[in-house]
Amino acid sequence: MFPFRALVLEDHAFQRAVAVDMLRQLGCGEVLEAADGAEALLLLQSSGPVDVALCDLQMSGMDGLEFMRKADLLIGSVILCSDLSPDLRHTVMQIIAMLGIKPLGDAGKPLQLRRLQDLLENCQPLSKAIVPTPFVPELPSEQELCDGLKRHEFVPFLQPKLDLVTGQVKGVEVLARWLRPDRGLLTPSAFLPAIERCGLLDVLLFELLASGLVLQRKLLRLGYSLEFSYNLHASQLENGSLVSRVQALLEGHGIPAGKIVFELTESAQFEESVTHLENLVRLQMMGCGLSIDDFGTGFSSLRRLCRLPFTEIKLDGEFVRGLTQQPRSRAVIENTLALAKSLGMTVVMEGVETREQHQELLALGCPLGQGYFYARPMSVWAFTDWFSQSVRSATLHLGYPRPNYGESCLIY
């Protein structure tokens, strides 16, 4: 079934024999075994690499962690077989990935045949498991960026935020995409560092804001009052004209400030100055919402909540990924929800990807969610179709023709 070359690293003779037998039952043609890391390393150096290794962590001599660090080029994938605490095993899985080895999962102890079979489903032969370093294209020049902005090639993509209880769309996050005639649709990683380097963040923000307000106004006329969120880099708070420009745009499109949220990335460098604080206070005085994005991934989350006038917490998706298996991730979510309630703030859970995660968040009382389980970021025309279906009404006639993103381009 699984014609892999495998290694079992286990210091307990009986458990090692059980693991070897299970791998052979599952079709592994050659199964090596070792009682400690040093023995396993010598074995691989003399006989060649393996597609998958079942590794214990605690053993006399060279432990499993040291072995994996020294044998990273000789192992395609790893399955942990350890009785350490779930928190420690979760951390070890992150270390394995950082070493460039594919972590297949945690089998725990005692080893179960069905669990092992499920984990091996994601294993690949070593020759296929090693992925070459992807080509990183050269960042665009300032002139290319300016030309693209002048030609309105930077377009908004929308990712919905949903009420977890009712399933209603409460708002969208407006994200930037670059529709280049010569390269198709580009995601922010291909241009945002250059935008920041060239001092064009404000130009991009107001380009997206203007486009978003047009759509928001059309939705309002049809009776749909959605909240639109925009990413705001901390450095943009140094702009003394930021608030007045935002206010002028909102008034020009007839959009209430209460339907606009600015998401400030929590991990971004942020030096509190008079101008920064004044802009945040004026935005909230105007009625705009302020969201602390990627909450929990930096070192100043609680300090910022105390000092800055945020109205919303966006909890980083890392915590929802560990929700069903990591007690600490669940504790972080539960306590963030309690903290937000005591501060009169709302919480949006990012990165929801499965029904199981959705159900768990619902049980914990999380009010809002965002992620691929609900919808990926999509173009305006795609959002129009998607939203029409979500409200079970006729197609919304907002006057947006379907653009040509190229045959090979995805819409997200």
Side-chain angles (χ1 to χ4, degrees):
M1 185 183 301
F2 300 108
F4 302 129
R5 191 167 192 261
L7 166 72
V8 175
L9 176 55
E10 169 61 67
D11 62 347
H12 192 285
F14 176 74
Q15 292 179 356
R16 186 169 67 250
V18 169
V20 169
D21 181 63
M22 286 185 181
L23 286 169
R24 287 176 176 158
Q25 287 184 56
L26 293 172
C28 291
E30 184 179 3
V31 183
L32 309 177
E33 54 181 294
D36 66 57
E39 180 186 346
L41 188 59
L42 288 173
L43 191 59
L44 294 185
Q45 288 172 341
S46 61
S47 65
V50 293
D51 302 309
V52 59
L54 272 68
C55 286
D56 190 11
L57 293 174
Q58 290 179 298
M59 59 193 80
S60 57
M62 185 187 295
D63 62 31
L65 272 176
E66 185 178 358
F67 162 72
M68 285 184 280
R69 181 166 51 82
K70 292 183 175 181
D72 57 341
L73 297 179
L74 298 172
I75 306 170
S77 306
V78 165
I79 295 174
L80 282 190
C81 299
S82 173
D83 54 7
L84 287 176
S85 70
D87 289 336
L88 285 178
R89 282 181 280 163
H90 176 67
T91 303
V92 171
M93 295 298 285
Q94 296 179 56
I95 294 173
I96 293 170
M98 293 170 69
L99 290 172
I101 305 171
K102 182 179 181 180
L104 294 180
D106 177 4
K109 285 188 176 180
L111 187 62
Q112 302 291 326
L113 183 64
R114 181 56 186 272
R115 173 63 175 163
L116 180 58
Q117 180 178 341
D118 290 342
L119 293 175
L120 286 173
E121 291 284 354
N122 294 316
C123 184
Q124 293 179 324
L126 184 59
S127 59
K128 295 181 181 179
I130 298 177
V131 179
T133 303
F135 169 71
V136 179
E138 183 180 353
L139 289 176
S141 67
E142 182 173 0
Q143 187 61 52
E144 289 175 314
L145 293 170
C146 290
D147 290 344
L149 287 164
K150 288 178 182 176
R151 292 193 292 260
H152 304 290
E153 293 173 358
F154 288 86
V155 295
F157 266 46
L158 313 175
Q159 186 170 28
K161 302 177 185 179
L162 277 74
D163 184 310
L164 298 192
V165 176
T166 66
Q168 290 182 331
V169 182
K170 305 301 289 185
V172 296
E173 180 179 359
V174 181
L175 303 163
R177 298 292 186 266
W178 188 0
L179 181 55
R180 288 193 64 168
D182 56 336
R183 291 175 56 189
L185 195 65
L186 303 181
T187 58
S189 61
F191 61 83
L192 203 55
I195 287 276
E196 182 179 350
R197 181 193 67 208
C198 297
L200 296 170
L201 285 170
D202 283 351
V203 181
L204 179 61
L205 170 64
F206 287 104
E207 180 81 2
L208 295 177
L209 189 58
S211 298
L213 291 173
V214 170
L215 173 60
Q216 200 171 8
R217 181 60 181 168
K218 292 185 176 184
L219 288 168
L220 274 174
R221 287 174 178 167
L222 292 170
Y224 300 107
S225 179
L226 301 186
E227 208 173 60
F228 276 48
S229 300
Y230 298 86
N231 291 296
L232 189 64
H233 193 277
S235 64
Q236 293 175 268
L237 293 172
E238 191 61 34
N239 182 353
S241 64
L242 174 70
V243 177
S244 59
R245 290 185 64 187
V246 169
Q247 188 170 19
L249 268 175
L250 294 183
E251 291 175 353
H253 288 83
I255 301 297
K259 290 300 178 181
I260 300 295
V261 175
F262 290 102
E263 298 184 6
L264 185 67
T265 303
E266 196 277 336
S267 56
Q269 268 192 326
F270 185 73
E271 296 295 332
E272 293 175 15
S273 69
V274 172
T275 306
H276 288 161
L277 295 175
E278 182 182 343
N279 274 327
L280 288 173
V281 169
R282 289 181 66 205
L283 283 171
Q284 197 185 84
M285 287 172 58
M286 194 168 68
C288 297
L290 298 175
S291 178
I292 183 167
D293 197 9
D294 298 329
F295 183 76
T297 58
F299 298 98
S300 57
S301 301
L302 295 177
R303 180 174 178 269
R304 288 190 183 186
L305 284 183
C306 291
R307 292 175 60 89
L308 303 176
F310 289 107
T311 57
E312 177 184 278
I313 294 173
K314 289 195 77 176
L315 194 55
D316 188 76
E318 177 182 341
F319 300 107
V320 78
R321 285 191 288 274
L323 176 58
T324 58
Q325 296 179 340
Q326 300 300 320
R328 292 190 180 188
S329 292
R330 175 179 289 272
V332 168
I333 295 174
E334 288 178 330
N335 284 280
T336 301
L337 290 169
L339 176 64
K341 184 177 181 180
S342 66
L343 295 174
M345 303 172 67
T346 189
V347 174
V348 179
M349 188 71 239
E350 296 182 291
V352 184
E353 296 182 350
T354 68
R355 183 174 298 278
E356 184 180 17
Q357 291 169 352
H358 168 82
Q359 295 295 341
E360 291 284 346
L361 291 171
L362 195 59
L364 290 174
C366 184
L368 299 172
Q370 183 179 9
Y372 285 5
F373 176 67
Y374 311 113
R376 293 172 180 262
M378 56 191 114
S379 63
V380 170
W381 64 263
F383 173 77
T384 300
D385 291 342
W386 180 89
F387 186 67
S388 297
Q389 296 174 15
S390 75
V391 297
R392 297 182 181 180
S393 66
T395 301
L396 298 179
H397 298 290
L398 299 180
Y400 288 100
R402 175 171 177 157
N404 179 16
Y405 289 126
E407 293 182 359
S408 63
C409 284
L410 299 175
I411 65 167
Y412 48 86

